[in-house]
Amino acid sequence: MDRRVDVAVALAVVALGVAILVLTQRIADSPVPDPIGPRGVPTVLGTFFVVAGILLAGRRLIGWRDGDTFVPHEGSDDDPGVPPGSARRALSIWLAALVYVVTLPWVGFIVGTPLFTAFMLWRLEMNRGPLLMIPAIVAFPVIFTAACYLFFATFLGVRLPLGFVREIVTRLTG
Amino acid sequence: MGDFIGPLSGGIGMFFVPTVILSILLGVLWGAFAGAMPGFNQTLAVGIALPLTFAFGAIEAVAFLCAISVGVSYGNSIPAILVGIPGTASAVLTAIDGHALHKAGKSGLALGVAYFAALSGQFVSVLFFILLVVPLSGLAYVFLAPELFALSVIGMTAILSLTGRNVLKGIVAAGIGLAFTMVGPDPIGSVPRFTLGVLEMRGGLQIVPITLGLVALSEIIRAARQSHDWQGVTESFDARFPSLRDLGRTIRPVLGGTIIGTLIGCIPGMGGTPAAAVSYQQAKIFSKHPEEYGRGSIEGVAANEAAQNAAQSGEMVPTLGLGLPGSDSMVLLLAALTIHGLVPGPLLIQESPEMLQAAVAGLLGATLILVVIGWRISSVLLAVVTIDRRLVLTFATALIIIGVFALRQSIFDLILLLVCGIVGYFMSRYGYSTAAAAIAVVLGGFAEAYLRQGLNLARNDWGNFLSRPITATILIFAVALLIYGIWSTVQHGKSAKQAMLEAMDVDIPPR
């Protein structure tokens, strides 16, 4: 794994600890007296994050010049024997999912879901396989959205957001 | 004996409740289907189905999720044998021996032995599960707040000490889970904490989107780094069921695997993978044909399958008996209980004995359903093996998002799910155990409440609190586990560095 990202993650832990310690100061006193109080556990946790983050970053920074950029993996690795992973692909899918959920009330489930699933299939390079895969990018999102709408909205009675197509759907379904 | 018969007969009695048996049938079919998809593990299978349980009663939900676990363990042997790709880490040895048999033209033998061993192991281990969990639940009233706090601590330390490669990162991971539980009203005085003025955070964060994000969505994001499909299941093969003589050879490894799987599964943080490895090793030692192991041994397949299936029941022992989830999929089971207003912990079975019966019904019912239809549906599952991995990832992502939305129709929960997903992705890539974080999310809130209530009970004296015999014993055990974790971190660091230097072909100075 890349030790630069490892250090960045460790520093994020330090930042989280600092944020917890700062926000802990804003917690009001409890009306019920107890020796730990509402600030006790957050203070211990925030302090621990700062110390642990510094230790984790420090062990990489010591001897930085002598060491290699890539260090033994401590977490999960990519699947072996297949093309290497792309963090950019994974993060773009995550970002698309965020846009999908944030815009869900306005765009609606019926329009947003096929767009998101088609984007995900495209980013996973579904279009680079046999020719049959190209229609799959269109067919799968449409069939999946229809099946989910039927199951969740009709069968389970979940109120899925319809967004700007609400009037059309309401008119069609009566 | 009545303590044993009660949950068993209660569980069997639930077979006659139409909604329960339907839940078990749906669960086992979904589990077998999901398990047969290469790269689809139990956490994902349970995670996708978890939000749907809001439409169920608590009994149906527990039976449904238990049945999924059984189905996944059965289904994942199929891609392991036919494609050589284990759906879960615990199926790695099945993949080695089973795939070797498949390549030797003995696919039916491998699939049949896996079917026999998986279901036998599962069936017998349910009986062990009841035998082990009933005495634990009998201890429930011995546990007051200090003991419950100690149990929460050991629940969090066990998994990070036994599974992590770096124990400090494991503790940080558990701390991150704990941090999520601090948002909202504090457990004693209801003073608001870390709400940042956000309305949705005033009541605290929901457990389900956090745990699903940390353990399920993070895994999908990791898998989405690579674009590829599984290969190698296109050729035809024979699917004749093995003879009684062949099955007779596997009885001893099946029995050994069942006992080892149940016992190792009981230890939080261990689960199916070490159970399968130990069982495989034990079967090899006592085998008349040890030379076959690793090259296509039916005994090896049997030992591995029996152990990993029995570990499912084993994991249920601390989960239901003490409220300590043994694995990330057990965390999701406890999260499902919270959807229905149940509090995980030692009192669960005492106060809601029907939950134990539901678990027995789910495990036993799913096994019996698979005995009847398992071999027949294997031809359908073979088709599932060939489903494109990219479709599976897209399906899983969208279904988790829609499922979490269905719970409370909250966009905030979806944003929380995605934030936890990306946090979990970086955590798992860089060695911070997402399972430890998820367990802390489930146990953390209770741990703080028990600590503070316990101190009140001990008249605000730490000495009184820590000197209670059961509390002290559990906490000493937790510290011992941490020391073991630190020792294994140091050992792992040394061996990983050595392996990396060897891989880079660097001259290694003699020690």
Side-chain angles (χ1 to χ4, degrees):
Chain A
M1 66 184 180
D2 190 331
R3 65 175 177 173
R4 293 166 300 185
V5 186
D6 194 37
V7 169
V9 173
L11 293 178
V13 171
V14 176
L16 177 65
V18 171
I20 289 175
L21 288 174
V22 169
L23 291 171
T24 299
Q25 303 310 311
R26 297 187 194 168
I27 298 172
D29 287 328
S30 173
V32 184
D34 75 297
I36 293 177
R39 285 190 287 267
V41 174
T43 304
V44 171
L45 193 63
T47 311
F48 168 71
F49 279 151
V50 172
V51 174
I54 290 171
L55 281 174
L56 287 168
R59 77 180 175 138
R60 292 276 178 242
L61 292 173
I62 293 169
W64 182 270
R65 286 188 178 178
D66 305 329
D68 192 61
T69 304
F70 289 91
V71 290
H73 244 288
E74 290 178 339
S76 56
D77 207 351
D78 287 328
D79 294 329
V82 287
S86 155
R88 198 173 293 177
R89 180 191 294 121
L91 296 180
S92 70
I93 288 170
W94 178 81
L95 204 61
L98 189 64
V99 171
Y100 165 57
V101 304
V102 169
T103 59
L104 202 54
W106 300 281
V107 176
F109 174 83
I110 292 175
V111 176
T113 306
L115 287 177
F116 166 65
T117 45
F119 175 82
M120 187 165 171
L121 288 172
W122 173 71
R123 281 303 279 139
L124 289 171
E125 298 177 354
M126 196 75 181
N127 52 327
R128 290 198 188 170
L131 279 179
L132 267 177
M133 292 296 139
I134 296 169
I137 294 184
V138 179
F140 175 81
V142 172
I143 294 168
F144 175 78
T145 305
C148 278
Y149 189 80
L150 278 176
F151 181 72
F152 284 96
T154 311
F155 181 64
L156 293 180
V158 176
R159 292 175 63 186
L160 293 170
L162 295 171
F164 66 89
V165 295
R166 169 177 295 280
E167 280 188 20
I168 301 169
V169 175
T170 313
R171 211 177 300 151
L172 286 174
T173 56
Chain B
M1 195 64 185
D3 289 343
F4 174 76
I5 298 294
L8 186 62
S9 60
I12 292 171
M14 283 186 179
F15 294 165
F16 301 101
V17 181
T19 51
V20 175
I21 199 70
L22 183 65
S23 308
I24 296 171
L25 182 64
L26 287 174
V28 74
L29 288 177
W30 163 242
F33 180 85
M37 285 190 257
F40 212 91
N41 62 23
Q42 188 173 324
T43 308
L44 273 182
V46 174
I48 285 175
L50 170 64
L52 305 181
T53 59
F54 82 94
F56 293 42
I59 289 172
E60 285 82 1
V62 170
F64 176 66
L65 295 175
C66 290
I68 291 176
S69 303
V70 175
V72 171
S73 293
Y74 170 68
N76 74 13
S77 61
I78 293 172
I81 290 168
L82 297 180
V83 196
I85 294 176
T88 58
S90 56
V92 166
L93 294 166
T94 298
I96 293 170
D97 276 308
H99 195 54
L101 285 165
H102 167 64
K103 285 198 285 192
K106 297 177 182 172
S107 315
L109 180 63
L111 288 168
V113 165
Y115 165 82
F116 171 73
L119 298 182
S120 307
Q122 191 74 59
F123 185 80
V124 176
S125 68
V126 176
L127 307 180
F128 281 120
F129 159 64
I130 302 171
L131 275 175
L132 291 168
V133 80
V134 168
L136 272 186
S137 65
L139 293 173
Y141 293 113
V142 177
F143 289 96
L144 296 177
E147 288 78 19
L148 292 171
F149 165 73
L151 273 181
S152 304
V153 171
I154 203 165
M156 289 184 265
T157 53
I159 195 152
L160 61 93
S161 297
L162 296 171
T163 59
R165 294 177 186 174
N166 181 328
V167 79
L168 184 57
K169 285 185 173 179
I171 302 171
V172 169
I176 290 170
L178 201 58
F180 282 113
T181 68
M182 291 192 309
V183 175
D186 97 284
I188 300 294
S190 294
V191 177
R193 299 189 297 190
F194 306 106
T195 54
L196 306 173
V198 179
L199 186 67
E200 287 87 349
M201 290 164 74
R202 282 190 192 165
L205 300 176
Q206 294 295 306
I207 286 178
V208 172
I210 301 175
T211 49
L212 277 181
L214 286 172
V215 299
L217 192 62
S218 65
E219 173 56 23
I220 295 176
I221 297 172
R222 187 202 66 77
R225 287 168 54 84
Q226 290 172 292
S227 171
H228 65 91
D229 195 17
W230 310 109
Q231 307 285 328
V233 71
T234 47
E235 71 267 37
S236 61
F237 53 85
D238 93 289
R240 275 179 301 171
F241 198 75
S243 64
L244 284 177
R245 190 164 165 269
D246 286 329
L247 291 182
R249 261 185 74 190
T250 65
I251 286 176
R252 197 161 61 180
V254 165
L255 277 177
T258 303
I259 294 167
I260 291 169
T262 311
L263 293 178
I264 292 183
C266 287
I267 304 169
M270 294 296 266
T273 308
V278 173
S279 165
Y280 186 88
Q281 197 60 30
Q282 173 270 346
K284 187 178 177 182
I285 289 168
F286 291 104
S287 173
K288 289 176 184 168
H289 306 283
E291 72 286 352
E292 290 179 0
Y293 282 69
R295 294 173 190 170
S297 163
I298 58 169
E299 292 173 12
V301 171
N304 196 54
E305 284 298 309
Q308 63 159 315
N309 278 271
Q312 302 289 337
S313 303
E315 285 180 1
M316 293 273 177
V317 174
T319 306
L320 288 181
L322 295 171
L324 304 179
S327 65
D328 35 13
S329 58
M330 290 297 116
V331 176
L332 296 179
L333 177 69
L334 289 188
L337 292 177
T338 63
I339 291 177
H340 296 278
L342 296 160
V343 179
L347 289 171
L348 178 71
I349 292 178
Q350 289 290 340
E351 291 178 348
S352 312
E354 65 277 11
M355 290 304 122
L356 174 59
Q357 294 168 6
V360 172
L363 293 170
L364 209 53
T367 309
L368 294 174
I369 287 171
L370 282 178
V371 167
V372 178
I373 64 168
W375 183 250
R376 289 175 191 181
I377 63 167
S378 55
S379 56
V380 179
L381 298 180
L382 296 183
V384 173
V385 175
T386 60
I387 292 178
D388 194 291
R389 175 180 175 274
R390 294 163 293 193
L391 285 177
V392 171
L393 289 178
T394 308
F395 168 81
T397 309
L399 212 54
I400 286 179
I401 291 174
I402 299 164
V404 168
F405 183 81
L407 279 178
R408 297 200 312 156
Q409 280 102 67
S410 162
I411 297 293
F412 179 81
D413 283 357
L414 292 183
I415 295 171
L416 182 62
L417 168 81
L418 290 173
V419 168
C420 291
I422 198 73
V423 168
Y425 164 74
F426 279 106
M427 285 175 69
S428 67
R429 286 285 295 170
Y430 288 90
Y432 299 82
S433 162
T434 51
I439 286 175
V441 169
V442 175
L443 300 179
F446 299 117
E448 186 186 354
Y450 293 141
L451 172 65
R452 292 167 65 183
Q453 287 164 0
L455 263 178
N456 275 336
L457 192 76
R459 296 175 190 165
N460 297 337
D461 183 334
W462 283 98
N464 285 345
F465 181 91
L466 294 172
S467 60
R468 293 170 66 90
I470 298 175
T471 309
T473 308
I474 299 173
L475 287 177
I476 287 169
F477 196 53
V479 171
L481 275 174
L482 267 183
I483 292 168
Y484 170 76
I486 293 166
W487 177 79
S488 57
T489 299
V490 174
Q491 294 301 315
H492 179 269
K494 280 182 189 169
S495 58
K497 202 170 180 179
Q498 190 83 0
M500 194 165 174
L501 288 171
E502 281 170 14
M504 290 165 69
D505 204 18
V506 170
D507 287 337
I508 304 161
R511 289 185 178 181

